[in-house]
Amino acid sequence: LQVFLVEKAGRRSLFLAGLMGMLISAVAMTVGLVLLSQFAWMSYVSMVAIFLFVIFFEVGPGPIPWFIVAELFSQGPRPAAIAVAGFCNWACNFIVGMCFQYIADLCGPYVFAIFAALLLLFFLFAYFKVPETKGKSFEEIAAVFRRKKLSAKAMTELQDLRASEEA
């Protein structure tokens, strides 16, 4: 089912939707936990937010990075890139799993605010830096990155020319 959804909606849009859904869910979990002592029904808000967090993870940030990593690299470096991505994924899972209880004890009901802040950063990074790879060959995707790199280099050269003209 996920493969058909990815092919229909596109990798980038699903990734961004998943990140934004997780961000909203993390904020809802934080609100639910903060207000739990005042309103007993906030426990239901927190439970629904947890379920939505998992659902949005499974729609976006769970599977999509594996599609994108496989499409960003040509045949030669692809296995190494997937291995590095897998290592980073599991290392981060391990760190979160080992540290979560300590962070929860330290932050109390605001523990998911940290996740919300990180998700906002991830969303902004993906929005501005991750291209849509649906239906594109490796060469087309590489050309997108080359254009971004060239335009950044051209802007730097333009700024250097302006600075030298003013001096």
Side-chain angles (χ1 to χ4, degrees), residues 17 22 39 41-42 45 56 60-61 65-66 71 75 79 87-88 92-93 109 115 119 133 135 138 141 143-144 166-167:
M22 289 172 65
F39 305 104
W41 54 270
M42 279 294 176
V45 171
F56 280 113
W66 300 107
E71 294 170 345
Q75 280 301 106
F87 172 77
C88 291
C92 290
N93 286 338
F115 288 96
L119 285 163
T133 59
F138 167 74
I141 296 166
V144 169
E166 292 174 358

Side-chain angles (χ1 to χ4, degrees), residues 144-154:
V144 169
F145 283 112
R146 276 195 300 274
R147 277 195 301 269
K148 286 183 180 180
K149 185 177 179 182
L150 287 175
S151 65
K153 184 178 178 185

Side-chain angles (χ1 to χ4, degrees), residues 5 18 27 31 34 43 46 57 59 61 68 77 88 102 125:
L5 186 61
V27 169
V31 169
V34 167
S43 63
S46 296
F57 176 81
V59 167
I68 292 174
C88 291
Y102 301 109
F125 175 80

Side-chain angles (χ1 to χ4, degrees), residues 28-43 46 109-110:
M29 280 188 268
T30 302
V31 169
L33 290 173
V34 167
L35 298 177
L36 185 60
S37 60
Q38 297 170 343
F39 305 104
W41 54 270
M42 279 294 176
S43 63
S46 296
Y110 297 98

Side-chain angles (χ1 to χ4, degrees), residues 39-104:
F39 305 104
W41 54 270
M42 279 294 176
S43 63
Y44 296 111
V45 171
S46 296
M47 285 191 314
V48 169
I50 289 170
F51 291 133
L52 288 174
F53 189 93
V54 172
I55 289 168
F56 280 113
F57 176 81
E58 292 301 327
V59 167
I64 300 300
W66 300 107
F67 283 96
I68 292 174
V69 168
E71 294 170 345
L72 286 182
F73 295 92
S74 63
Q75 280 301 106
R78 187 175 295 156
I82 291 174
V84 169
F87 172 77
C88 291
N89 183 334
W90 285 106
C92 290
N93 286 338
F94 178 77
I95 291 168
V96 169
M98 294 302 291
C99 297
F100 181 80
Q101 188 61 52
Y102 301 109
I103 296 170

